């Protein structure tokens, strides 16, 4: 094909493509001192140049950025290249897209940069722990291998052999589930392209057409996510995902058991032992808390403390001198007097005293005292003593409480006396 | 007329622009400062094991008499509610006179593997609530639960209604088995006993991978391609990196609590079906008789709106309000609209229920 067959815009395209490669190389040279700047390798060099800077930001961001940008640029380049190779010089974007995605179906779909993540999908989610056997190719005939691995073991080391066989079976079963999961992901990719074509068809009217590569990419993402959601929300996926996760865990458990056996042989502490200690420790903490009365009692104490503080504050704010002069504890104290003297006092009390006019200062004090009592009653309307008793019940138990009634009774009697 | 109308020269120009921006990014990324977070001053008021309860300090003393305690999820760090100066639920609540406290769960390690939901809800949360109540000299406080923390708050309020004045739930799953719930679909056939017995604590990286796989192309690729647009903007890059840090700064999950959460909430859906027991207590949402405000996000891919909006059908209160926010699971805290709408909605709702 001679130069005359190439339209002008195509020549410009080729010139710009060369400019693109040069730009990559320039960027790479600028980023990497002494970088060779090989065409096509610019991105890799550029990415490597980020390595020291990666520590400045959150780990992985630069890698993510580079990976995402690489995929996107690859997407753009594949479309541009497909357009450039259009036979009649007019780019057919739909054909270019099909080529770019190798769609519909086929393994090439998985090889496209944008579809690469589907391949990595088994490493995502609950099912996706780092796979210790990730680098190993799956056996060709898993079913056949399983039957061999289930052969009975004999002799002195039969237990060891059996464990190893179980581990190998767990691995084979895990690979089976990975294959099922991959099939789901491939289906998601295929369905994604179907939806993508549908979304493109909706954009045929003038004014709704896609005018940039970015808009095209965003549309593809919408379609891909929609397709993935269809699959990921299905009952079939639920079953496959669960089985994959469980297979992964069985495999890990087998590996852990082998490590434990080895640790025991070497006299090392094992995960089981640590778990056992941790479990006992937490149980002990709960027991201690329960013996201290549990959270309910602690709540009760805290509540009573709060109530007590409120009462103190109320009494203080009333500024009643009576409450300061006659605090509750003073009620307990009774002066020791001789019997004869007591009788004399009692006689004196029986004799009615002549009526006296209440001095104004004393009346004022009494009024203040009454106000203070009302304030106290407002804060804890008559239930303080009962809550204290409840608290004592809970904290001391009825047996111990029984040992203390005399003191309580004495207190009550003394309070009565004081009132009189 | 085809659906694609891309001028070849424009396409190439677009590719070159992308490349140039990537080249500039090297310079921008080297200049960005270390990202920090948690902008509001705070003081520690209670500590137990790895848990710390903080009280935030605003520019002026709070006017609200009843404090708010924020109960965040275990699966992410709680500084999302105070991410940066112009994206802070906490700061906006303080500015409106609220008295705001927060539970920081810390990072569980192997010693916490046996913590149960009872330890978390009737233990840690209960004692945190008491600490806040003592500090504020009140008997009841307002509880604001977020996501999984919202589910915990529902349980707490149902078991200890006498300690909760008002309950606010944000992006909180209630019905764990609605059709749009992808996470729920994935765990239904999972053998959780085998899972936890094998892993012990559930690694944070595993949880993050799981969340990323909810929208794999958007979260693993498109987001970073969108980053190209802001590569030459230092401030925007710092904002992006701050968010990126939050997303992946995740604690491991205590094994036993995880086991119970998946079994009873996701697989058993007991919060709405009944039969949920936390420790020795039964949880019935009908016991939630205090006023309830339920805020959920209409575009939430983690907790679909359908999972949240059923709350009103199950709680016992006659004073139930729900707000559907236009945004996603994260946007409800950090978007511009969220800053305008969410704190004022919470404050106004609380103010209407404040005593004389």
């Amino acid at each position: 094909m001679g130069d005359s067959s190439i339209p002008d815009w195509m020549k410009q395209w080729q010139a710009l493509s060369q400019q693109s490669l040069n730009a990559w190389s320039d960027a790479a040279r600028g980023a990497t001192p002494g970088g060779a700047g090989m065409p096509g390798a610019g991105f890799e060099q550029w990415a490597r140049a980020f390595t020291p800077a990666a520590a400045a930001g959150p780990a992985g961001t630069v890698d993510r950025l580079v990976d995402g940008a690489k995929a996107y640029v690859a997407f753009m380049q594949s479309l541009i290249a497909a357009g450039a190779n259009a036979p009649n010089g007019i780019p057919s974007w739909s054909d270019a897209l099909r080529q770019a995605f190798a769609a519909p179906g086929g393994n090439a779909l998985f090889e496209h940069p944008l579809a690469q993540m589907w391949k990595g999908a088994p490493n995502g989610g609950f099912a996706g722990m780092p796979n210790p056997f990730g680098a190993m190719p799956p056996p060709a005939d898993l079913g056949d291998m399983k039957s061999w691995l289930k052969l009975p073991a004999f002799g002195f080391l039969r237990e060891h052999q059996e464990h190893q066989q179980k581990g190998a079976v767990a691995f084979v079963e895990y690979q089976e589930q990975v294959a099922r999961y991959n099939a789901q992901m491939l289906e998601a990719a295929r369905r994604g392209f179907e939806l993508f074509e549908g979304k493109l068809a909706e954009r045929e009217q003038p004014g709704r057409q896609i005018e940039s590569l970015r808009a095209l990419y965003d549309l593809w993402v919408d379609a891909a996510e929609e397709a993935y959601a269809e699959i990921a929300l299905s009952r079939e996926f639920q079953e496959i995902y669960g089985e994959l996760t469980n297979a992964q865990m069985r495999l890990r458990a087998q590996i852990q058991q082998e490590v434990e056996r080895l640790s025991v042989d070497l006299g090392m502490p094992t995960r089981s032992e640590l778990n056992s200690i941790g479990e006992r420790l937490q149980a002990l903490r709960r027991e201690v808390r329960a013996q201290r009365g549990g959270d309910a009692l602690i709540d009760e104490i805290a509540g009573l403390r709060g109530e007590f503080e409120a009462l103190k504050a109320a009494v203080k704010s009333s500024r009643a001198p009576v409450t300061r002069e006659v605090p509750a504890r003073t009620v307990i104290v009774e002066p020791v007097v001789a019997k004869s003297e007591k009788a004399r006092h009692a006689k004196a009390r029986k004799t009615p005293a002549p009526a006296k006019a209440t001095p104004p200062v004393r009346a004022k004090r009494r009024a203040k005292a009454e106000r203070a009592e009302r304030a106290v009653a407002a804060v804890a309307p008559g239930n303080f003593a009962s809550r204290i008793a409840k608290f004592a019940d809970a904290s001391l138990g009825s047996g111990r409480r029984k040992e203390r009634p005399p003191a309580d009774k004495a207190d009550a009697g003394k309070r009565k006396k004081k009132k009189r | 007329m085809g659906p694609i109308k891309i001028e070849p020269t424009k396409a190439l120009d677009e590719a070159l622009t992308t490349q140039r921006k990537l080249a500039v990014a090297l310079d921008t990324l080297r200049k960005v400062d270390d990202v920090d977070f948690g902008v509001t001053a705070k003081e520690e008021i209670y500590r137990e094991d790895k848990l710390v309860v903080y009280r935030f300090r605003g520019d002026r003393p709070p006017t609200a008499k009843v404090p708010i305690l924020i109960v965040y999820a275990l699966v992410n760090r709680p500084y999302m509610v105070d991410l940066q100066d112009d994206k802070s639920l906490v700061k906006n609540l303080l500015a409106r006179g609220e008295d705001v406290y927060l539970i920081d769960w810390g990072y569980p390690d192997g010693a916490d593997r046996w913590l149960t939901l009872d330890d978390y809800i009737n233990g840690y949360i209960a004692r945190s609530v008491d600490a806040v109540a003592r500090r504020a000299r009140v008997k009841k406080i307002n509880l604001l639960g977020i996501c999984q923390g919202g589910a915990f708050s529902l349980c707490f309020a149902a078991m200890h209604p006498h300690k909760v004045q008002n309950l606010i739930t944000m992006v909180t799953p209630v019905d764990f088995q609605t059709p749009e719930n992808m996470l729920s679909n994935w765990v239904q056939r999972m053998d959780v006993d085998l899972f936890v017995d094998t892993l012990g604590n559930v690694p944070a990286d595993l949880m993050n991978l799981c969340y990323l796989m909810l929208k794999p192309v958007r979260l693993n690729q498109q987001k970073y391609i969108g980053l190209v647009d802001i590569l030459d903007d230092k401030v925007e890059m710092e904002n992006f990196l701050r968010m990126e840090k939050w997303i992946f700064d995740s604690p491991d999950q205590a094994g036993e609590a995880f086991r119970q959460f998946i079994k009873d909430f996701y697989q058993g859906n007991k919060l709405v079906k009944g039969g949920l027991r936390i420790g020795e207590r039964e949880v019935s949402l009908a016991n939630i008789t205090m006023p309830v405000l339920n805020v959920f996000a209409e575009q939430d891919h983690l907790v679909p709106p359908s999972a949240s909006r059923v709350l009103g059908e199950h709680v016992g209160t006659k004073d139930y309000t729900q707000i559907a926010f236009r945004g996603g699971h994260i946007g409800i805290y950090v978007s511009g609209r969220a800053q305008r709408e969410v704190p004022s909605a919470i404050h106004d709702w609380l103010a209407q229920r404040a005593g004389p």
Side-chain angles (χ1 to χ4, degrees):
Chain A
M1 191 180 285
D3 279 351
S4 58
S5 65
I6 302 175
D8 286 346
W9 75 263
M10 183 62 79
K11 287 175 187 166
Q12 288 170 8
W13 184 293
Q14 285 170 347
L16 284 168
S17 294
Q18 187 55 47
Q19 192 183 332
S20 163
L21 288 175
N22 292 342
W24 282 114
S25 302
D26 291 346
R29 280 196 203 97
T32 314
M38 285 171 61
F43 219 124
E44 294 300 331
Q45 291 175 16
W46 184 85
R48 278 199 296 276
F50 268 106
T51 309
T61 299
V62 171
D63 290 341
R64 287 281 171 196
L65 168 62
V66 170
D67 287 346
K70 276 163 78 173
Y72 179 52
V73 170
F75 168 77
M76 290 195 292
Q77 285 177 338
S78 65
L79 281 183
I80 290 170
N85 294 329
N88 56 1
I90 301 167
S92 166
W93 292 112
S94 296
D95 291 345
L97 279 169
R98 283 197 183 86
Q99 285 173 29
F101 288 101
N107 287 333
L109 183 63
F110 256 16
E111 301 306 324
H112 190 273
L114 286 180
Q116 282 293 312
M117 67 182 56
W118 302 122
K119 288 175 78 176
N123 292 325
F126 287 130
M129 292 305 294
N131 180 3
F133 302 103
M136 291 172 64
D141 188 348
L142 296 175
D144 189 45
M145 179 179 264
K146 263 166 76 177
S147 67
W148 279 104
L149 288 169
K150 286 182 177 171
L151 286 177
F154 301 96
F156 173 62
L157 293 174
R158 74 163 303 283
E159 292 300 305
H160 290 280
Q161 187 185 334
E162 202 168 87
H163 290 311
Q164 284 163 4
Q165 282 177 320
K166 275 185 187 172
V169 169
F171 170 64
V172 171
E173 286 174 351
Y174 173 63
Q175 290 297 337
E176 285 173 348
Q177 299 305 327
V178 167
R180 292 179 73 202
Y181 186 91
N182 280 343
Q184 289 282 299
M185 292 298 101
L186 189 63
E187 174 60 16
R190 190 199 61 76
R191 177 74 181 135
F193 194 81
E194 264 180 23
L195 292 176
F196 184 45
E197 284 192 316
K199 285 181 186 295
L200 280 175
E202 291 167 8
R203 301 295 193 100
E204 288 195 349
Q205 296 85 7
R208 294 201 66 205
Q209 290 164 309
I210 292 165
E211 296 183 348
S212 70
L213 291 175
R214 180 64 176 275
L216 191 63
Y217 167 76
D218 288 343
L219 194 71
W220 178 82
V221 172
D222 290 346
E225 287 293 4
E226 210 175 302
Y228 176 76
E230 275 181 20
I231 300 286
L233 283 167
S234 69
R235 277 294 172 101
E236 187 184 5
F237 186 84
Q238 179 189 99
E239 191 266 323
I240 291 171
Y241 192 90
E243 283 306 316
L244 175 62
T245 308
N246 298 341
Q248 167 87 245
M249 290 306 127
R250 281 193 293 272
L251 175 58
R252 288 178 68 95
Q254 280 296 327
I255 296 168
Q256 284 174 357
Q257 283 171 24
E258 287 304 315
V259 172
E260 288 238 340
R261 281 187 202 97
L262 191 64
S263 301
V264 170
D265 287 348
L266 296 172
M268 304 282 284
T270 64
R271 168 53 52 196
S272 302
E273 288 166 1
L274 286 173
N275 280 346
S276 179
I277 291 167
E279 188 173 15
R280 284 179 205 174
L281 181 68
Q282 287 296 345
L284 198 62
R285 293 181 73 195
R286 290 185 200 110
E287 205 172 304
V288 168
R289 190 172 286 281
Q291 280 182 355
R292 276 169 26 194
D295 286 333
L297 183 59
I298 290 166
D299 287 353
E300 182 76 10
I301 293 169
L304 288 169
R305 273 192 188 137
E307 210 166 277
F308 181 63
E309 290 300 322
L311 285 169
K312 270 170 64 180
V315 168
K316 197 175 177 184
S317 67
S318 71
R319 292 180 184 171
V322 176
T323 55
R324 283 200 297 273
E325 288 167 8
V326 192
R329 294 297 295 172
T330 58
V331 175
I332 300 166
V333 181
E334 195 178 14
V336 179
V337 287
K339 264 188 180 177
S340 59
E341 205 176 346
K342 261 190 177 177
R344 193 161 51 84
H345 280 302
K347 200 177 175 184
R349 274 204 296 275
K350 279 178 187 171
T351 313
K356 279 186 188 175
T358 313
V361 175
R362 193 174 294 172
K364 217 173 172 180
R365 278 185 183 172
R366 190 171 298 158
K368 274 187 179 176
E370 283 169 7
R371 276 204 304 275
E373 280 176 18
R374 280 201 297 274
V376 170
V379 174
N383 64 351
F384 184 66
S386 63
R387 296 191 73 189
I388 288 285
K390 197 177 154 195
F391 161 57
D393 274 337
S395 60
L396 304 172
S398 55
R400 285 191 65 185
R401 260 201 89 214
K402 275 178 188 169
E403 293 168 13
R404 302 186 63 169
D408 293 340
K409 279 183 183 171
D411 282 356
K414 282 162 196 169
R415 272 193 216 104
K416 274 182 190 170
K417 275 183 189 176
K418 187 67 190 175
K419 271 192 178 176
R420 263 187 268 127
Chain B
M1 185 74 71
I4 303 169
K5 192 182 159 190
I6 304 174
E7 294 295 330
T9 50
K10 198 179 163 192
L12 192 60
D13 188 48
E14 205 179 330
L16 288 171
T17 304
T18 301
Q19 291 166 10
R20 282 190 205 107
K21 284 203 169 194
L22 285 167
V24 173
L26 180 63
D27 196 39
T28 310
L29 282 171
R30 279 177 171 161
K31 284 179 185 163
V32 294
D33 297 326
D34 281 346
V35 289
D36 53 0
F37 45 82
V39 289
T40 308
K42 59 183 186 291
E43 59 175 319
E44 178 183 322
I45 69 144
Y46 180 73
R47 178 181 285 268
E48 181 184 353
D49 298 339
K50 296 180 178 72
L51 171 148
V52 182
V53 178
Y54 291 106
R55 184 190 190 191
F56 289 99
R57 286 201 300 267
D59 295 333
R60 58 176 191 271
T63 53
K65 290 175 184 166
V66 182
I68 300 172
L69 174 63
I70 298 176
V71 182
Y72 205 79
L74 301 175
V75 294
N76 275 110
R77 301 287 295 139
Y79 57 79
M80 169 51 76
V81 294
D82 188 35
L83 193 66
Q84 62 186 60
D85 199 48
D86 57 347
K87 293 176 180 175
S88 171
L89 173 68
V90 167
K91 191 182 169 196
N92 283 313
L93 286 172
L94 290 174
R96 287 163 176 79
E98 298 294 344
D99 190 6
V100 185
Y101 295 73
L102 173 131
I103 297 177
D104 182 341
W105 299 108
Y107 296 84
D109 59 24
D112 303 303
R113 181 238 191 278
W114 299 97
L115 287 174
T116 61
L117 287 185
D118 186 36
D119 294 322
Y120 273 106
I121 299 172
N122 291 319
Y124 288 143
I125 293 180
R127 292 189 285 277
S128 300
V129 166
D130 291 344
V132 172
R134 276 198 300 276
R135 176 73 175 224
R137 295 177 180 276
V138 293
K139 288 187 174 174
K140 297 178 172 186
I141 67 165
N142 297 326
L143 213 54
L144 195 166
I146 294 174
C147 190
Q148 184 190 31
F152 287 3
S153 299
L154 285 171
C155 295
F156 181 82
M159 291 185 284
H160 309 271
H162 58 290
K163 292 186 177 186
V164 183
Q165 180 82 28
N166 298 292
L167 175 64
I168 303 157
T169 52
M170 289 180 76
V171 289
T172 294
V174 181
D175 183 342
F176 283 75
Q177 292 183 354
T178 53
E180 305 86 356
N181 196 329
M182 200 178 280
L183 274 180
S184 176
N185 195 48
W186 292 359
V187 300
Q188 293 305 320
R189 305 286 280 270
M190 198 170 96
D191 183 344
V192 189
D193 288 330
L194 173 66
F195 190 80
V196 174
D197 290 346
T198 306
L199 294 179
N201 283 349
V202 181
D205 286 347
L206 177 58
M207 299 297 295
N208 283 330
L209 274 172
C210 195
Y211 297 142
L212 289 176
M213 287 306 290
L214 291 172
K215 286 190 179 290
V217 190
R218 229 179 272 293
L219 299 178
N220 286 299
Q221 193 182 82
Q222 191 186 33
K223 185 174 85 170
Y224 298 98
I225 289 167
L227 183 60
V228 172
D229 296 336
I230 58 164
L231 277 175
D232 47 1
D233 185 332
K234 180 172 175 283
V235 174
E236 282 297 310
M237 274 302 295
E238 283 172 358
N239 290 346
F240 180 92
L241 292 172
R242 191 174 289 111
M243 178 64 80
E244 193 77 347
K245 175 173 174 55
W246 175 80
I247 289 170
F248 296 107
D249 177 15
S250 310
D252 293 345
Q253 299 300 294
E256 290 310 306
F258 181 88
R259 185 199 308 262
Q260 197 179 349
F261 193 68
I262 297 294
K263 268 189 177 178
D264 287 350
F265 289 74
Y266 275 100
Q267 294 181 338
N269 204 14
K270 291 181 179 175
L271 202 52
V272 293
K273 285 185 178 170
L276 176 63
R277 290 189 75 83
I278 304 289
E280 294 173 357
R281 302 173 199 238
E282 181 153 354
V283 177
S284 169
L285 293 181
N287 291 338
I288 297 180
T289 50
M290 71 289 302
V292 175
L293 171 64
N294 184 21
V295 187
F296 56 86
E298 285 178 338
Q299 282 83 42
D300 196 330
H301 71 288
L302 276 164
V303 180
S306 57
S308 286
R309 60 160 49 98
V310 294
L311 179 60
E313 299 165 20
H314 298 280
V315 287
T317 183
K318 290 176 183 170
D319 184 356
Y320 174 81
T321 311
Q322 72 180 27
I323 298 174
F325 175 79
R326 275 191 296 146
H329 193 76
I330 310 299
I332 201 168
Y333 309 107
V334 297
S335 72
R337 186 190 294 128
Q339 306 311 305
R340 291 191 302 275
E341 295 178 5
V342 176
S344 57
I346 292 172
H347 170 73
D348 294 346
W349 183 83
L350 284 173
Q352 286 163 15
R353 281 147 189 87

